[in-house]
Amino acid sequence: MDWDRLQYFLLVARHGTLARAGAALHVDATTVSRRVSALEAALGQTLFERAPTGFVLTAAGRALVPHAEAMAAAAARVHMAPGGRAGLSGQLRLSVTEGFGNSFIAPRLATFVAAHPELEIDLVASSGFLNPSRREADMAVLLARPRKGPLITRKLSDYSLGLYAPASRPDWQQAVGQAPLSRAGIPVIGYMPDILYAPELDYLDEIEPGLRASVRSSSILAQRRMIAGGAGVGVLPCFIAAGDPGLVRARPEQTIARAFWLALHRDVAPQPRIRAFIDWLDAEVRESRGLLVPA
């Protein structure tokens, strides 16, 4: 099978449009379209449905993806840099929670980028996740272990959350330590329950049964800023709150435990760029154990 045509097919499958695939390959969209059409003609199969929003894999296209991924992995192993180290290239897309992506991965990513300058890295850090089962991302860091799909999953790390108050309100800090929040008259900051994107984020009951937020945001980073700015008290992951002079842990003895889970499609697991990123992320997590799960 022609690898040249297959790599165009694979990039369209990953990106969903001719323009984005062309940008990744450094060619124009017309070239990508010609190569994909030539592959479909050679196979006698339609690999994509042309939809207004982009290219969507057909059943035949989905069946071809694992073979294309295997050839991509083989091609990556052939291109070895001097000294036996793989010169990794191509695209790597990670879907991750907004808080972990922006506060943990992003500040540390420079070391991985420097080690693999030919890689194109997409960090999709937002509320909600891309789905590795549908090849929307190479891998995802999730708040719960997926129960279905052709995925390899494992726990990446535990992490802790606590109740935080603004450093500018010592009266609130004292009140929170002496009385239930429901009777303290202090605004509580948290998520909007009707658009909570993961049940693991519904943790106010673990602070006090029946506790509700009166100031709400879908963004944990916005919640952090609101608490530090004096809008109220709220729950934050300790690794997000650490080092912020505007925040004080209000009840140090009260801890909420959660975990991050790593998920990736079985077909991409052997790829060198995937293995390299996972090794790097594991090392960063190990070194930051005290930040993720403070004593």
Side-chain angles (χ1 to χ4, degrees):
M1 192 175 290
D2 187 341
W3 165 238
D4 183 57
R5 292 173 180 171
L6 264 183
Q7 65 178 328
Y8 282 82
F9 158 77
L10 191 56
L11 266 294
V12 174
R14 288 176 179 167
H15 290 278
T17 70
L18 297 175
R20 288 199 292 265
L25 289 161
H26 306 292
V27 299
D28 57 65
T30 303
T31 301
V32 179
S33 179
R34 284 201 306 268
R35 299 295 176 87
V36 170
S37 296
L39 179 61
E40 289 179 319
L43 296 175
Q45 294 177 312
T46 300
L47 302 175
F48 295 101
E49 295 288 345
R50 275 70 168 174
T53 55
F55 278 46
V56 180
L57 286 165
T58 63
R62 290 193 296 272
L64 182 60
V65 167
H67 302 289
E69 294 279 15
M71 290 188 72
R77 288 193 293 271
V78 168
H79 292 91
M80 298 293 290
R85 293 185 60 191
L88 302 181
S89 61
Q91 183 198 42
L92 189 152
R93 177 169 290 181
L94 173 69
S95 177
V96 64
T97 65
E98 178 198 31
F100 191 63
N102 284 288
S103 297
F104 188 89
I105 293 179
R108 294 167 171 78
L109 196 58
T111 56
F112 186 78
V113 171
H116 305 289
E118 297 301 315
L119 271 179
E120 295 181 3
I121 302 167
D122 293 340
L123 180 63
V124 184
S126 61
S127 55
F129 299 98
L130 300 182
N131 192 333
S133 293
R134 296 198 297 265
R135 301 304 184 87
E136 295 172 345
D138 292 309
M139 68 187 90
V141 177
L142 307 168
L143 296 174
R145 186 173 194 166
R147 297 301 178 185
K148 59 183 180 179
L151 300 173
I152 295 174
T153 64
R154 66 170 171 84
K155 184 186 285 189
L156 176 65
S157 176
D158 294 313
Y159 71 100
S160 298
L161 304 95
L163 182 66
Y164 287 86
S168 60
R169 294 300 301 265
D171 55 324
W172 284 1
Q173 299 163 35
Q174 183 177 10
V176 166
Q178 294 176 345
L181 266 172
S182 56
R183 298 206 305 267
I186 300 171
V188 177
I189 292 170
Y191 286 100
M192 293 170 278
D194 56 326
I195 56 172
L196 201 65
Y197 69 89
E200 290 75 21
L201 300 177
D202 188 13
Y203 37 57
L204 288 182
D205 264 346
E206 297 178 48
I207 296 295
E208 289 176 17
L211 186 64
R212 289 175 52 84
S214 58
V215 182
R216 298 178 287 267
S217 173
S218 60
S219 165
I220 190 66
L221 300 183
Q223 292 178 36
R224 170 190 171 180
R225 288 183 177 273
M226 289 191 289
I227 297 169
V233 301
V235 174
L236 294 171
C238 297
F239 68 86
I240 289 180
D244 189 331
L247 297 170
V248 173
R249 185 84 177 263
R251 294 177 181 172
E253 75 286 351
Q254 193 171 34
T255 298
I256 297 171
R258 291 292 188 269
F260 290 122
W261 292 84
L262 182 67
L264 61 156
H265 198 285
R266 292 184 184 277
D267 294 331
V268 307
Q271 294 181 9
R273 69 178 187 278
I274 301 297
R275 298 309 319 161
F277 186 84
I278 291 174
D279 290 345
W280 170 82
L281 184 56
D282 279 339
E284 293 295 329
V285 166
R286 283 195 303 270
E287 291 178 9
S288 303
R289 172 73 177 173
L291 177 66
L292 292 163
V293 188

